[in-house]
Amino acid sequence: MPKLRLLFTKRGKACFIPHVALPQVFARAGKRAGLEFNYSEGYSPRPKISIGPALPVGVIGLEEPVDVDVLSWESPILERWNYFLPVGIRFMKGEEFEGRSLGKICKAASFSLFILKDFEPDGIKELLISKLPEGSILKVETDTVDKEIRIDLLDPQQNSPGLFVKALVSEGLIGGWKDIRMVRRVIGFWEDSRVKPVI
Amino acid sequence: MKYTDFPEFSSPQWDLLASVQKPSRYTGSEWIAQSKDEKNYSGQHLSFCLAFPDVYEIGMSYVGFQILYSFLANDIRVNPDRAYCPWIDMEEKMRAERQPLFSTEGKVPLKSFDVLGFTLQHELTYTNILTMLDLSGIPLRTSDRKDDDPLVIAGGPGALVPEPLADFIDVFCLGDGERFLPDFIEMAEKTRGASREERLKEISSIPGAYVPSFYVPEYSTDGVTFSGKPVLPVSRVIVKDLDDTPYPENMIVPNVPIVHDRIPIEIFRGCSRGCRFCQAGMIYRPVRERKPETVLNLMNKLLENTGWDEVGLVSLASCDYSGILEIVRQSEPILKKWNARLSLPSLRMDSFSVDLATRLENLKRGSITFAPEAGSQRLRNVINKGVTDEDIDSSIHSAFEHGWQKVKLYFMMGLPEETYADLDGIADISRRVFNIGRKYTKRVNVNVSVAGFIPKPHTPFQWEPQNSMDELARKGKYIKSLVRNRRISIHYHDPSQSFLEGVLARGDRRLCQVIETAWENGARFDGWTETFSLQIWMRSFDQCQVDPGYYNERERSFSEKLPWEHIDTGVSRDFLLRERKKASESSLSPDCRWNSCNSCGLEKVCFSSDKGDMFCQS
């Protein structure tokens, strides 16, 4: 049976549900919606649900992937599933897929960082490149009008966006997470100099 | 993208949530029985906030709130919500930001509710009640509350020993909530607009209501007496037929792990075993069972509606449920259909129970738990636990035979009539269990937990002196010293927490000042080792010139008027005295469900009686 690959958003208060708790959130909501899952083997069988690289608590996710192994599905299932999910978590689309796992294909992620203080955009790119692991910064763009820094990051499984915060703190630009707000706009492939979603 | 594309970032809550441990404790959005859209917020309804005085993950595991929430949600007159105690980091931030305490669902300030209903599950949560009141801007003392402040009520086992909280709680609800609440709601609605005094007067006439402000305690060498009206004692109310009592068919499901992360189904209430140390066994009598068909029906509906994959059969002694085998057999197709498992919270020490557990439990998941409670037959008879050495051996053999490798044992120290020979017995049993296990597996592991015995009100041991902190520490160290085997781990509870629990458990109204002082001095989450401070409490006892040992370490005379006897649980003083005497003779009182009646006082309401009012008469 082919698996289902889905994209969801994580907004509002749901941003404070830890990433590792998500499979159970999806499983329980799915069961309430009448979905039947395929289960893992072993002493503690669980619905087969795999999430992508960790999204830290307090970060909004706009196109987050999850793989689900269900016995069957039809297109209205997403609306029905959405009804049973907590406020702030919504599926946007899903399709059947075969192939490599999310851990293997999520090689890049794109972030928007909003700094709540005045900051000097010059030098931000160099700062991040110097503080983060070599090659991990793929692109940095700053927009002083919207006070937004857009960062494309390589290998999100290894490199946490917390590293941005650490870098900015080390230069005294911010005090900590309380001085920024972060959105992971998309996570997936690096292609044509941009990050593309998995589906 | 613009910052304004994400309005949630500008919420004053965001910074608070982002800066505390486990922010999901405060975000709610759980799957709940009724969508908020379905409720009419016209303001005509009685807004009722169930307040649990501990952290979210403990409060969400409390089956009582699932039952009461559903009960209230199905009452068209009521609009229920919930609140939990903020952890110390959140409290600090809330005070700094001047943010009041909001309810979990509607984000309504607690001060705006008509009713705030606490549950008193554990004495060491009492200071958290003051935190929740203070963060809500509600005066701590009932005497300071105005007409537009919520009615602050409290139920649960602690309500039957109300005096230590008497200055802070408007109404104590004695007994089964399902029996108490309909009358309370009617009265609360009927008296809307009236003065606080008038409302409490009307409410005090409801069966099961104790309004402490209407009584004045008088202290003498004879004990405590009360003057006031309505006439004392106030009796606990009891639901007679659990099958006839609503049980939720949908429940609040958390988005994050909680302590007991499964569907709780209460299969029976009460206990007839008569263990003499156990307060729950006395105050929840008589035994009332739900029929197996009811339980199975609930199991199916709840698995469908909640999405949980585990069901727990909840009661004080689930293996004693008369239909337990039937439930286990007939639940198999239901569990299979929903890909779920069944669990039992506690086991009797016999091979029947082990066999049952094996059918249900995931062997690899953990350990099998038994509670022999005392190290010798004699002492087990004193406490009426009645487990024999043969029972212990046969259940242990059975456990290892069925493939268990890890065993957890619960004991108490500081029991009445105890000698050091009994403590030797704890070590002996631990070693014996290990040696039996070694015959079956090399990977045997024995985990022993020893708790300091705390005498509780409304039990045959309510007159006992509690062992001092030093004594308990000495005994704990002694037991540990007897066992050198590294695969047997022996752990004993912090005697200082047991000390405080003992004081609060058998306190009177003079402790209210101490609790408030301790809270002002920074006492929080006293049940948690990381936040408990004995120093704060001892300083507070000192400041209030109260001797804590008067409450827990003093041996009380049988003629003393105890500060909880104005609350009638239905179990008679005479019975408790008889049982205390039998204890000193190491004499057993067999389980009254399968043997003759022990005349505890509840004969008029008991399962064995066809007649009887819904609430007990003293």
Side-chain angles (χ1 to χ4, degrees):
Chain A
M1 195 72 223
K3 292 187 198 159
L4 204 53
R5 183 158 280 172
L6 304 156
L7 288 184
F8 65 95
T9 56
K10 198 173 184 233
R11 297 285 305 259
K13 291 187 297 183
C15 293
F16 296 98
I17 297 173
H19 192 73
V20 293
L22 287 177
Q24 199 164 71
V25 169
F26 289 131
R28 287 177 182 170
K31 288 175 101 176
R32 293 192 288 264
L35 269 177
E36 283 182 78
F37 294 93
N38 273 322
Y39 280 73
S40 58
E41 308 288 313
Y43 279 105
S44 245
R46 297 226 178 279
K48 285 188 188 172
I49 297 177
S50 314
I51 43 174
L55 180 69
V57 150
V59 177
I60 286 177
L62 295 180
E63 288 194 89
E64 294 293 308
V66 60
D67 288 345
V68 175
D69 203 342
V70 286
L71 287 181
S72 67
W73 75 290
E74 291 145 18
S75 117
I77 192 63
L78 286 192
E79 281 128 62
R80 190 165 159 72
W81 203 342
N82 277 339
Y83 174 78
F84 290 96
L85 284 170
V87 169
I89 300 187
R90 281 296 172 268
F91 287 119
M92 291 128 43
K93 60 190 212 181
E95 58 188 49
E96 289 178 14
F97 84 100
E98 275 174 32
R100 300 194 299 156
S101 69
L102 288 174
K104 292 202 165 68
I105 64 169
C106 287
K107 283 299 170 199
S110 189
F111 293 87
S112 283
L113 210 62
F114 297 99
I115 302 198
L116 303 184
K117 305 170 89 164
D118 287 321
F119 73 102
E120 190 47 64
D122 293 339
I124 294 275
K125 179 173 179 179
E126 289 69 31
L127 170 67
L128 290 170
I129 289 172
S130 72
K131 294 282 181 184
L132 266 74
E134 200 181 315
S136 60
I137 296 292
L138 296 165
K139 196 202 289 182
V140 178
E141 287 166 352
T142 51
D143 182 332
T144 40
V145 173
D146 290 335
K147 289 202 191 171
E148 180 196 11
I149 306 175
R150 288 186 294 276
I151 307 169
D152 289 347
L153 178 71
L154 182 72
D155 203 357
Q157 191 96 313
Q158 289 298 323
N159 301 317
S160 158
L163 294 170
F164 308 151
V165 179
K166 226 170 142 184
L168 296 170
V169 168
S170 72
E171 287 296 297
L173 293 169
I174 60 171
W177 281 89
K178 61 176 169 49
D179 292 328
I180 63 132
R181 298 286 189 259
M182 202 188 297
V183 178
R184 186 157 79 183
R185 295 197 318 271
V186 60
I187 180 166
F189 312 103
W190 178 250
E191 216 175 80
D192 304 331
S193 298
R194 59 192 188 92
V195 183
K196 289 187 177 167
V198 298
I199 55 170
Chain B
M1 302 197 113
K2 293 199 194 36
Y3 182 71
T4 48
D5 291 335
F6 308 101
E8 58 262 63
F9 280 155
S10 319
S11 144
Q13 291 287 305
W14 194 272
D15 267 327
L16 265 187
L17 292 170
S19 62
V20 294
Q21 268 185 55
K22 299 191 179 176
S24 49
R25 282 170 169 162
Y26 314 104
T27 52
S29 300
E30 310 96 336
W31 175 252
I32 55 171
Q34 284 196 358
S35 155
K36 283 293 158 184
D37 299 337
E38 291 165 29
K39 296 289 277 192
N40 180 0
Y41 284 81
S42 67
Q44 306 267 321
H45 293 78
L46 194 75
S47 58
F48 195 127
C49 186
L50 291 167
F52 195 91
D54 211 321
V55 295
Y56 179 82
E57 54 267 32
I58 293 184
M60 278 290 287
S61 305
Y62 172 49
V63 59
F65 267 14
Q66 294 278 19
I67 295 173
L68 291 181
Y69 183 89
S70 167
F71 189 82
L72 294 171
N74 286 323
D75 188 324
I76 200 136
R77 304 166 292 182
V78 185
N79 179 16
D81 205 324
R82 296 163 288 135
Y84 304 90
C85 190
W87 186 245
I88 52 176
D89 57 354
M90 180 54 109
E91 181 193 346
E92 196 185 310
K93 296 239 152 47
M94 285 170 71
R95 290 191 189 283
E97 304 291 317
R98 296 186 197 281
Q99 279 232 22
L101 186 55
F102 293 118
S103 62
T104 301
E105 294 167 26
K107 293 286 174 272
V108 175
L110 260 49
K111 197 174 161 68
S112 312
F113 279 86
D114 293 314
V115 183
L116 197 56
F118 285 99
T119 181
L120 308 177
Q121 293 297 306
H122 193 276
E123 296 84 351
L124 299 186
T125 61
Y126 289 177
T127 49
N128 298 338
I129 295 172
L130 299 188
T131 302
M132 293 177 78
L133 289 172
D134 190 61
L135 282 176
S136 308
I138 298 167
L140 297 184
R141 292 183 169 254
T142 67
S143 50
D144 295 330
R145 283 174 204 147
K146 303 278 181 287
D147 292 348
D148 59 356
D149 281 315
L151 289 169
V152 179
I153 71 177
L160 297 168
V161 190
E163 292 305 308
L165 288 175
D167 286 350
F168 313 118
I169 304 292
D170 298 327
V171 186
F172 287 93
C173 323
L174 313 178
D176 295 331
E178 303 100 324
R179 175 66 186 87
F180 177 85
L181 285 172
D183 291 336
F184 173 81
I185 290 164
E186 190 180 321
M187 199 56 85
E189 275 213 314
K190 207 170 107 182
T191 56
R192 255 184 206 279
S195 74
R196 199 170 185 85
E197 178 83 9
E198 275 159 39
R199 298 187 85 188
L200 290 177
K201 187 151 171 264
E202 295 297 316
I203 289 168
S204 69
S205 65
I206 294 170
Y210 173 63
V211 179
S213 55
F214 290 166
Y215 301 93
V216 177
E218 275 153 39
Y219 306 100
S220 71
T221 46
D222 290 335
V224 189
T225 50
F226 294 88
S227 51
K229 278 194 254 191
V231 167
L232 293 169
V234 183
S235 299
R236 168 192 149 225
V237 292
I238 302 172
V239 141
K240 187 131 197 261
D241 184 353
L242 272 193
D243 270 318
D244 204 29
T245 304
Y247 198 81
E249 291 183 356
N250 205 339
M251 284 187 175
I252 306 165
V253 184
N255 295 317
V256 289
I258 56 175
V259 177
H260 297 305
D261 212 348
R262 50 183 175 259
I263 296 168
I265 300 183
E266 184 194 33
I267 52 179
F268 70 89
R269 203 172 287 187
C271 186
S272 52
R273 298 194 136 236
C275 301
R276 294 175 181 133
F277 57 86
C278 180
Q279 187 185 58
M282 296 291 153
I283 65 172
Y284 284 108
R285 296 180 166 220
V287 168
R288 293 144 290 156
E289 288 190 343
R290 284 196 157 87
K291 295 201 195 72
E293 307 92 84
T294 313
V295 174
L296 291 163
N297 190 32
L298 284 169
M299 196 183 293
N300 191 42
K301 287 216 172 81
L302 284 163
L303 283 167
E304 181 180 16
N305 291 332
T306 62
W308 252 310
D309 60 2
E310 189 176 333
V311 178
L313 300 180
V314 176
S315 73
L316 290 172
S318 295
C319 292
D320 288 355
Y321 178 63
S322 59
I324 191 70
L325 276 180
E326 188 184 339
I327 293 280
V328 169
R329 277 188 211 122
Q330 295 199 34
S331 64
E332 270 173 49
I334 302 174
L335 296 168
K336 194 154 183 259
K337 175 175 152 198
W338 298 107
N339 267 295
R341 341 178 257 292
L342 197 57
S343 73
L344 295 173
S346 58
L347 284 184
R348 269 202 317 250
M349 288 210 81
D350 60 31
S351 43
F352 166 80
S353 303
V354 177
D355 188 53
L356 203 60
T358 311
R359 286 217 221 176
L360 306 177
E361 295 281 348
N362 178 353
L363 295 183
K364 255 208 168 172
R365 266 201 300 166
S367 46
I368 189 166
T369 303
F370 296 108
E373 304 291 13
S376 69
Q377 187 65 64
R378 182 198 69 91
L379 194 55
R380 286 194 294 273
N381 287 2
V382 167
I383 62 179
N384 206 40
K385 188 76 190 194
V387 167
T388 63
D389 287 313
E390 289 76 35
D391 289 331
I392 294 176
D393 284 2
S394 74
S395 50
I396 295 297
H397 269 284
S398 187
F400 287 114
E401 241 164 41
H402 280 98
W404 297 89
Q405 296 181 323
K406 292 190 242 182
V407 174
K408 183 156 188 178
L409 301 172
Y410 283 116
F411 288 97
M412 282 185 282
M413 56 182 172
L415 288 165
E417 319 286 337
E418 180 184 80
T419 65
Y420 267 74
D422 301 306
L423 303 181
D424 293 338
I426 294 178
D428 290 340
I429 292 174
S430 311
R431 274 191 292 263
R432 203 161 87 224
V433 168
F434 180 83
N435 291 333
I436 292 172
R438 243 200 344 187
K439 297 188 180 123
Y440 294 90
T441 169
K442 283 199 187 114
R443 293 160 62 170
V444 60
N445 213 286
V446 181
N447 215 305
V448 180
S449 176
V450 189
F453 170 61
I454 300 166
K456 291 281 165 115
H458 303 299
T459 66
F461 293 146
Q462 63 183 4
W463 296 276
E464 292 308 297
Q466 183 175 341
N467 276 197
S468 70
M469 285 186 269
D470 283 340
E471 271 178 285
L472 287 176
R474 251 200 316 274
K475 287 180 177 177
K477 290 191 180 107
Y478 174 73
I479 298 167
K480 273 181 89 97
S481 72
L482 296 173
V483 178
R484 295 284 171 210
N485 187 332
R486 273 183 305 172
R487 300 268 280 286
I488 304 176
S489 78
I490 301 193
H491 163 82
Y492 61 94
H493 291 193
D494 176 9
S496 52
Q497 279 179 302
S498 303
F499 172 82
L500 181 65
E501 187 183 330
V503 175
L504 297 175
R506 289 190 293 167
D508 57 37
R509 210 174 283 202
R510 292 173 290 193
L511 282 185
C512 295
Q513 190 56 53
V514 179
I515 293 173
E516 190 173 348
T517 304
W519 176 81
E520 277 165 2
N521 286 337
R524 301 286 188 276
F525 291 99
D526 301 300
W528 294 64
T529 42
E530 55 255 63
T531 45
F532 173 68
S533 162
L534 180 69
Q535 206 184 36
I536 286 180
W537 281 93
M538 295 315 281
R539 185 158 34 107
S540 308
F541 282 118
D542 228 23
Q543 280 172 257
C544 299
Q545 298 183 310
V546 169
D547 170 23
Y550 175 85
Y551 295 104
N552 66 343
E553 289 170 9
R554 178 172 61 96
E555 181 162 10
R556 297 169 191 251
S557 101
F558 291 132
S559 59
E560 182 176 324
K561 295 182 179 65
L562 302 167
W564 52 84
E565 285 183 316
H566 57 311
I567 304 300
D568 174 30
T569 63
V571 172
S572 71
R573 184 179 215 272
D574 186 51
F575 170 75
L576 297 178
L577 267 170
R578 267 185 282 127
E579 283 296 300
R580 180 60 190 94
K581 291 206 166 77
K582 285 179 96 173
S584 60
E585 294 151 10
S586 310
S587 168
L588 287 171
S589 296
D591 189 322
C592 55
R593 276 216 284 172
W594 324 117
N595 300 277
S596 54
C597 172
N598 290 318
S599 305
C600 70
L602 279 162
E603 296 84 87
K604 280 193 182 153
V605 254
C606 194
F607 54 83
S608 61
S609 147
D610 289 324
K611 51 189 181 342
D613 216 330
M614 274 226 278
F615 49 94
C616 64
Q617 337 245 344
S618 56

